[in-house]
Amino acid sequence: MQTKKNFFGTLVIGLLALGQTLWAQLPDPGFTIDNRTAIVITDPQNDFLSENGVAWGLVGPSVTQNGTIENIATLFELATKHEMPVLISPHMVNDHDHQWEFAGAMLTFAKQVNLMKKGKSTEAGVALGTHGADIFTGYHKYLKNDNVFVTSPHKVFGPESNDLILQLRKRQIDKVILAGMLSNLCTESHLRELVEQGFEVAVVKDATAAAILPDMDGYKIAQANFTLIANHVFTTEELKAAFLKL
Amino acid sequence: MQTKKNFFGTLVIGLLALGQTLWAQLPDPGFTIDNRTAIVITDPQNDFLSENGVAWGLVGPSVTQNGTIENIATLFELATKHEMPVLISPHMVNDHDHQWEFAGAMLTFAKQVNLMKKGKSTEAGVALGTHGADIFTGYHKYLKNDNVFVTSPHKVFGPESNDLILQLRKRQIDKVILAGMLSNLCTESHLRELVEQGFEVAVVKDATAAAILPDMDGYKIAQANFTLIANHVFTTEELKAAFLKL
Amino acid sequence: MQTKKNFFGTLVIGLLALGQTLWAQLPDPGFTIDNRTAIVITDPQNDFLSENGVAWGLVGPSVTQNGTIENIATLFELATKHEMPVLISPHMVNDHDHQWEFAGAMLTFAKQVNLMKKGKSTEAGVALGTHGADIFTGYHKYLKNDNVFVTSPHKVFGPESNDLILQLRKRQIDKVILAGMLSNLCTESHLRELVEQGFEVAVVKDATAAAILPDMDGYKIAQANFTLIANHVFTTEELKAAFLKL
Amino acid sequence: MQTKKNFFGTLVIGLLALGQTLWAQLPDPGFTIDNRTAIVITDPQNDFLSENGVAWGLVGPSVTQNGTIENIATLFELATKHEMPVLISPHMVNDHDHQWEFAGAMLTFAKQVNLMKKGKSTEAGVALGTHGADIFTGYHKYLKNDNVFVTSPHKVFGPESNDLILQLRKRQIDKVILAGMLSNLCTESHLRELVEQGFEVAVVKDATAAAILPDMDGYKIAQANFTLIANHVFTTEELKAAFLKL
């Protein structure tokens, strides 16, 4: 152990001294797109992506800066072209969820502002209107495609209480390209849970966005965790290039 | 929706203009210690807490700065005094886990440096030696207490693949005081999963620590997510004060 | 071990010799109804309970024999009177679920006969019509009550891929009175999973029913497993008596 | 719906009239062995398989009748020959598990007779002695093989609280050949949970066994549920034949 420690300690000190960071040393396992790959998008809903959304004041700057709306659209286009499934995991709150006895800080806040409150259901069972919890209006055209569908909603941040994992496994999917809202909350909880459930996951960082405040940059925080936890982090441009090589 | 957006937009702009952040406005649901509360500590093991540990070069500064070792010891003392269960959720890798076909960046790195590689088992089934994966030597004395025990190991970051949740529920525990290593990895994944499984969770921030590098401060990242996701964040001093009022 | 074996062997032989069975010796842990108790009903839907249901030919005899429809109604009445939550965990299949690559025998059969195929959604999001997957028409009146609601659907047999567990925990429920369809499939998978997730569970046996065929009596099979796995098995009459004592 | 019901009703009546059962009509999806297949064995431990085991009085007759010990040995042999992973999911109870506040009937009984009480750990961490919870002595020779290993223990009946699912996914396994003890308890809960987690599962029926009492034949009960829930049910002979064709 002494040998390992000395080696390791020297490596780190050496890197810092050279102004290098461990980032350059952290392995990049990589991610190969194949026919057992699907795209998963968290919370692409009006409350987060529409200028009329309840949370636009908080997340709008990040969405605009990253080009998140266009980048998510690119993922839909790539998927349709390559016949790849796209699963949307929406966040949604029903009336009866307001009976909950307790919740963490963010979810308590969300309840106060009626974030993602379920609107009228459409005939298809997928909310295709302009309510906050409905799928972003700009993406409704993609929902007509056979390769795109919406799972049951998650209620906290991750897919532990919806059927996302089952839907992936029943389609013999092992690898996920992940995007959506919010980078450090629902998207990151989906990343962590998919990894715990044995999927390989790549995150498309600029196809996500978060709340950015002076003291807390949700997007920057998530970058570090994406890099540590996922198999690879792509930009949308890098992902397009990867699809071109298929 | 227009009304909500205007109100919300005005609120945020107002706050920013005043130099305030949403932090001051984010609800703090609070956390009340009761007889359905337990302490959970992630990865209090030699590789993270001992100067001889494989990861000391990376995490030592944070551990030292936060007083993590002493603060975790305080949690053990408080628990014993108040007959509160303490569950340790250790990270451990067996030989056969090295057959895994894939892993994310951090776990690939961990494998390369033999982080948390399982040492000899003791008769009791709990690793009480000086190997990297053994419980930190400074805490061995607490393991003799009836209220302290070790769950089966987790292999990724969260408690999805061990019996932590079952052990809590079988003791009629609904509320968790969380501490341990590393703030933004195993501790945070435990926070997220406990919340998904319907527990109320408070994090004791300076009883955690992380890897800190120029480009990535694992401890600072975790603070933001702890605050957003948990019911409350304590310092060890604040927690001691809360226990005094019981 | 030798001593234990001899004792145990003698006990069993003794019992058999007397024509007794271990049933009389199997402990009955019992189940106390309190304010942390809820009722969970699996699949109380037209396809199983209506004479027009797709599966009526298979399950009708058992439903009729047990008085299942009336007994489940009794549970709704008891719950409303005692302000106890009732959570309905429905089985439902969407169009996109028909893209699944594989399924076990029963689910393959169910797909062939379009069992529980999702009908039109109502405005409330809960299927209150006469389609096979809609909640049994005789129970629609109960759905107006605040204490009754419907979770997201399960797609296989158990609550692993819906929000039932989360909804129970968020209401600080630890104890479940379980009923519904089919005794040895969805009801039993809910029993098993609730137990794995640390709930105490009592089954109301005649408020369940199953498919009964010459070679396979789904109701009888389930009785044995209910008795082994649950904390207690009630008849509806016994449960009514237990509620009277509250 | 009326049309479906009439057709279905007629089909069933017709079958019953002819003395046929639905069994002949229930689809058999089948199971193809490939390089994404593994064998999972539940509870092949001394308390269930050794004549000195605590439960031998209850399960011995079924084990003997089915040839379970030899059949499980055959699975080990086939797996080694075909380089297929074998994962053993053991049942084990630690001292601290005796602090549980509640349990169902069977687990309460198990606690009373000290079923599967953890013995001394060996150096390797796998219990290779003659204690009740140790792996059956007749199988110790197989544990030396690289393709065979033991997961962390389950504590109730299913793999919800151990790392079995993770270990399968990390080896890119989607398909499980399932065997072990007891047919209607741990083996069946593993079947149900593996199916919920999106695996294809085949059960080798005579490589399982159960408690058989006058009023309750655990093996017979399990046959019906295996047939309904799994993709296919093999006898050991049929499985050998399937392997020969690879």
Side-chain angles (χ1 to χ4, degrees):
Chain A
M1 193 96 93
Q2 193 62 19
T3 309
K4 275 203 194 112
K5 180 240 169 180
N6 281 345
F7 167 74
F8 197 87
T10 307
L11 174 66
V12 173
I13 290 167
L15 291 172
L16 290 171
L18 291 172
Q20 295 292 327
T21 66
L22 198 69
W23 274 155
Q25 301 307 311
L26 194 70
D28 180 357
F31 185 95
T32 306
I33 302 167
D34 64 7
N35 65 356
R36 297 185 67 112
T37 306
I39 293 175
V40 170
I41 306 175
T42 61
D43 303 18
Q45 293 158 272
N46 289 326
D47 265 345
F48 285 144
L49 295 177
S50 163
E51 291 178 12
N52 294 323
V54 160
W56 187 253
L58 269 180
V59 306
S62 180
V63 170
T64 306
Q65 184 173 327
N66 294 348
T68 305
I69 291 172
E70 298 75 24
N71 291 336
I72 289 176
T74 296
L75 299 185
F76 279 114
E77 301 280 351
L78 286 168
T80 299
K81 185 172 171 195
H82 294 268
E83 293 177 333
M84 177 177 286
V86 180
L87 290 77
I88 295 172
S89 176
H91 195 116
M92 206 177 295
V93 173
N94 291 322
D95 286 336
H96 61 75
D97 298 330
H98 280 194
Q99 293 170 359
W100 289 1
E101 298 284 350
F102 59 89
M106 184 64 194
L107 288 189
T108 299
F109 174 72
K111 178 175 166 179
Q112 289 168 357
V113 301
N114 276 320
L115 181 71
M116 295 303 188
K117 187 91 191 297
K118 187 179 166 89
K120 280 175 146 75
S121 286
T122 67
E123 178 165 322
V126 174
L128 285 173
T130 57
H131 282 82
D134 290 357
I135 303 300
F136 178 57
T137 46
Y139 300 150
H140 288 184
K141 60 187 176 189
Y142 299 118
L143 288 167
K144 295 187 184 74
N145 298 344
D146 281 344
N147 65 315
V148 178
F149 66 93
V150 183
T151 70
S152 53
H154 58 267
K155 306 278 174 157
V156 183
F157 305 110
E160 280 85 340
S161 54
N162 73 1
D163 64 335
L164 174 67
I165 306 286
L166 179 71
Q167 296 292 352
L168 291 167
R169 293 299 184 194
K170 285 295 199 180
R171 286 166 177 73
Q172 293 174 326
I173 299 298
D174 310 321
K175 307 180 74 161
V176 169
I177 295 169
L178 182 66
M181 303 293 286
L182 306 178
S183 313
N184 61 318
L185 290 175
C186 293
T187 314
E188 192 178 323
S189 276
H190 276 64
L191 167 62
R192 290 180 187 249
E193 184 63 8
L194 286 163
V195 166
E196 297 287 342
Q197 296 303 330
F199 288 84
E200 292 182 65
V201 187
V203 185
V204 190
K205 61 181 177 177
D206 54 359
T208 80
I212 298 181
L213 301 160
D215 265 9
M216 197 280 290
D217 183 325
Y219 183 68
K220 189 169 168 208
I221 284 171
Q223 298 318 300
N225 288 334
F226 290 166
T227 303
L228 287 166
I229 296 171
N231 290 71
H232 187 70
V233 180
F234 289 100
T235 60
T236 307
E237 282 308 305
E238 290 166 346
L239 187 74
K240 281 165 69 175
F243 267 94
L244 275 175
K245 294 181 196 162
L246 294 179
Chain B
M1 191 100 91
Q2 194 60 20
T3 309
K4 277 204 193 113
K5 179 238 170 184
N6 280 344
F7 167 74
F8 196 87
T10 306
L11 174 67
V12 174
I13 290 167
L15 292 171
L16 289 171
L18 290 171
Q20 296 291 326
T21 66
L22 199 69
W23 276 155
Q25 301 306 313
L26 196 70
D28 181 357
F31 186 95
T32 306
I33 301 168
D34 65 6
N35 65 355
R36 298 184 67 114
T37 305
I39 293 175
V40 171
I41 306 175
T42 61
D43 303 17
Q45 294 158 271
N46 289 324
D47 264 345
F48 285 144
L49 296 178
S50 162
E51 290 178 15
N52 293 325
V54 160
W56 187 253
L58 268 181
V59 305
S62 180
V63 170
T64 306
Q65 183 172 328
N66 294 348
T68 305
I69 291 172
E70 298 75 24
N71 291 335
I72 289 176
T74 296
L75 300 185
F76 279 113
E77 301 281 351
L78 286 168
T80 299
K81 185 173 172 194
H82 294 269
E83 294 178 332
M84 178 177 286
V86 181
L87 290 77
I88 295 172
S89 177
H91 195 116
M92 206 176 296
V93 173
N94 291 322
D95 286 336
H96 61 73
D97 298 330
H98 280 195
Q99 292 170 358
W100 289 0
E101 298 285 350
F102 60 88
M106 184 64 193
L107 288 189
T108 299
F109 173 74
K111 178 176 168 179
Q112 288 168 357
V113 300
N114 276 320
L115 181 71
M116 296 303 187
K117 188 86 191 299
K118 187 178 166 91
K120 280 174 146 78
S121 286
T122 68
E123 177 166 321
V126 176
L128 287 173
T130 57
H131 283 83
D134 291 358
I135 303 300
F136 178 57
T137 46
Y139 300 149
H140 288 183
K141 60 188 176 188
Y142 300 117
L143 289 166
K144 295 187 185 74
N145 298 345
D146 281 344
N147 65 315
V148 178
F149 66 94
V150 183
T151 70
S152 53
H154 57 269
K155 305 278 174 158
V156 184
F157 305 111
E160 279 86 339
S161 55
N162 74 1
D163 64 334
L164 173 68
I165 305 285
L166 180 71
Q167 297 292 351
L168 291 167
R169 293 298 184 195
K170 284 298 199 179
R171 286 166 177 72
Q172 294 174 327
I173 298 298
D174 309 321
K175 306 180 74 162
V176 169
I177 296 169
L178 182 66
M181 304 292 287
L182 306 177
S183 314
N184 62 317
L185 290 175
C186 293
T187 315
E188 193 178 322
S189 276
H190 276 65
L191 167 63
R192 290 180 187 248
E193 184 63 9
L194 286 163
V195 166
E196 297 287 342
Q197 295 303 329
F199 290 84
E200 293 182 64
V201 187
V203 185
V204 190
K205 60 182 178 177
D206 54 358
T208 80
I212 298 182
L213 300 160
D215 266 10
M216 197 280 291
D217 183 325
Y219 183 69
K220 189 169 169 209
I221 284 171
Q223 298 318 300
N225 288 333
F226 290 164
T227 304
L228 287 166
I229 297 171
N231 290 71
H232 187 70
V233 180
F234 288 101
T235 60
T236 306
E237 283 307 305
E238 289 165 348
L239 187 73
K240 281 165 68 176
F243 267 93
L244 276 174
K245 294 182 197 163
L246 293 179
Chain C
M1 190 99 91
Q2 195 59 20
T3 309
K4 275 202 194 114
K5 180 237 169 184
N6 281 344
F7 167 73
F8 196 87
T10 307
L11 173 65
V12 174
I13 290 166
L15 292 172
L16 289 173
L18 291 171
Q20 296 293 324
T21 66
L22 198 67
W23 275 157
Q25 302 306 312
L26 195 70
D28 180 359
F31 186 95
T32 306
I33 300 167
D34 64 8
N35 65 355
R36 300 186 64 117
T37 305
I39 293 175
V40 170
I41 305 175
T42 61
D43 303 19
Q45 294 158 271
N46 289 325
D47 263 345
F48 284 144
L49 295 178
S50 163
E51 290 178 13
N52 293 325
V54 160
W56 187 253
L58 269 181
V59 306
S62 179
V63 170
T64 306
Q65 184 171 328
N66 294 347
T68 305
I69 290 173
E70 298 75 23
N71 291 335
I72 290 176
T74 296
L75 300 185
F76 279 114
E77 301 281 350
L78 287 168
T80 299
K81 185 172 172 196
H82 294 269
E83 295 178 332
M84 177 177 286
V86 180
L87 290 77
I88 295 172
S89 175
H91 195 115
M92 207 176 294
V93 173
N94 291 323
D95 285 335
H96 61 73
D97 298 328
H98 278 195
Q99 292 171 359
W100 289 0
E101 298 284 352
F102 58 88
M106 185 63 194
L107 289 188
T108 300
F109 174 73
K111 177 176 166 178
Q112 288 168 355
V113 299
N114 276 320
L115 181 72
M116 295 302 188
K117 186 90 190 298
K118 188 179 165 90
K120 281 176 148 73
S121 284
T122 68
E123 178 167 322
V126 175
L128 287 174
T130 57
H131 282 84
D134 291 358
I135 303 301
F136 178 58
T137 47
Y139 300 148
H140 289 184
K141 60 188 175 188
Y142 299 117
L143 289 167
K144 296 188 185 72
N145 299 345
D146 282 344
N147 65 316
V148 178
F149 66 93
V150 184
T151 70
S152 54
H154 59 268
K155 306 279 175 154
V156 183
F157 305 110
E160 280 85 340
S161 54
N162 73 1
D163 65 334
L164 174 68
I165 305 286
L166 180 71
Q167 297 292 352
L168 291 167
R169 292 301 183 193
K170 284 296 199 179
R171 287 166 176 74
Q172 294 174 326
I173 299 296
D174 310 322
K175 305 179 74 162
V176 169
I177 295 169
L178 182 65
M181 304 291 288
L182 307 179
S183 314
N184 61 319
L185 290 176
C186 293
T187 315
E188 193 178 323
S189 274
H190 277 64
L191 167 64
R192 289 179 188 249
E193 183 63 9
L194 285 163
V195 166
E196 296 289 341
Q197 296 303 329
F199 289 85
E200 292 182 64
V201 188
V203 186
V204 190
K205 60 181 177 177
D206 54 358
T208 79
I212 298 183
L213 300 160
D215 265 9
M216 197 280 292
D217 182 325
Y219 183 68
K220 190 170 169 210
I221 284 170
Q223 297 319 300
N225 288 334
F226 291 165
T227 304
L228 287 167
I229 296 171
N231 291 72
H232 188 71
V233 180
F234 288 100
T235 61
T236 306
E237 283 306 305
E238 289 165 347
L239 187 73
K240 281 165 69 175
F243 267 95
L244 275 175
K245 294 180 197 162
L246 293 178
Chain D
M1 190 99 90
Q2 194 62 19
T3 309
K4 277 205 192 108
K5 179 236 169 184
N6 280 343
F7 166 74
F8 197 86
T10 306
L11 173 65
V12 175
I13 290 167
L15 292 172
L16 289 172
L18 290 172
Q20 295 294 322
T21 65
L22 197 67
W23 275 155
Q25 301 306 313
L26 195 70
D28 181 359
F31 186 96
T32 306
I33 301 168
D34 64 8
N35 64 355
R36 300 185 64 115
T37 305
I39 293 175
V40 170
I41 306 175
T42 61
D43 303 18
Q45 294 157 272
N46 289 325
D47 264 345
F48 285 144
L49 295 178
S50 164
E51 289 178 14
N52 293 324
V54 160
W56 187 255
L58 268 181
V59 305
S62 180
V63 171
T64 306
Q65 185 171 326
N66 295 347
T68 306
I69 291 171
E70 298 74 24
N71 291 335
I72 289 176
T74 296
L75 300 185
F76 279 114
E77 300 280 351
L78 286 168
T80 300
K81 186 173 171 194
H82 293 268
E83 295 179 329
M84 178 178 286
V86 180
L87 290 78
I88 295 172
S89 177
H91 195 116
M92 208 175 296
V93 172
N94 291 323
D95 286 336
H96 62 74
D97 298 330
H98 279 195
Q99 294 170 359
W100 289 0
E101 299 283 351
F102 59 88
M106 184 63 194
L107 288 189
T108 300
F109 174 73
K111 177 175 167 179
Q112 289 168 355
V113 299
N114 276 319
L115 181 72
M116 295 302 187
K117 187 88 190 299
K118 187 179 165 91
K120 281 175 145 76
S121 285
T122 66
E123 178 166 319
V126 175
L128 286 173
T130 58
H131 282 83
D134 291 358
I135 303 300
F136 178 58
T137 46
Y139 299 149
H140 288 183
K141 60 188 176 187
Y142 300 117
L143 289 167
K144 295 187 185 71
N145 298 345
D146 283 343
N147 65 315
V148 178
F149 67 91
V150 183
T151 69
S152 53
H154 59 269
K155 306 279 174 154
V156 183
F157 305 111
E160 280 86 340
S161 54
N162 74 1
D163 65 333
L164 172 68
I165 305 286
L166 180 71
Q167 297 291 353
L168 291 167
R169 293 299 183 193
K170 284 296 199 179
R171 286 166 177 73
Q172 294 173 327
I173 299 297
D174 310 321
K175 306 180 74 161
V176 169
I177 294 169
L178 182 66
M181 303 292 287
L182 307 177
S183 313
N184 62 318
L185 290 176
C186 294
T187 314
E188 193 178 324
S189 275
H190 276 65
L191 167 63
R192 289 179 189 250
E193 184 63 8
L194 285 163
V195 166
E196 296 288 342
Q197 296 303 328
F199 290 84
E200 293 182 63
V201 187
V203 186
V204 190
K205 61 181 178 178
D206 54 0
T208 79
I212 298 182
L213 300 160
D215 267 11
M216 197 281 290
D217 183 325
Y219 182 69
K220 191 172 170 208
I221 285 170
Q223 296 319 300
N225 288 334
F226 290 166
T227 303
L228 287 166
I229 296 171
N231 291 72
H232 187 70
V233 180
F234 288 100
T235 60
T236 307
E237 283 306 305
E238 288 165 347
L239 187 73
K240 280 164 70 174
F243 267 94
L244 275 175
K245 293 181 198 161
L246 293 179

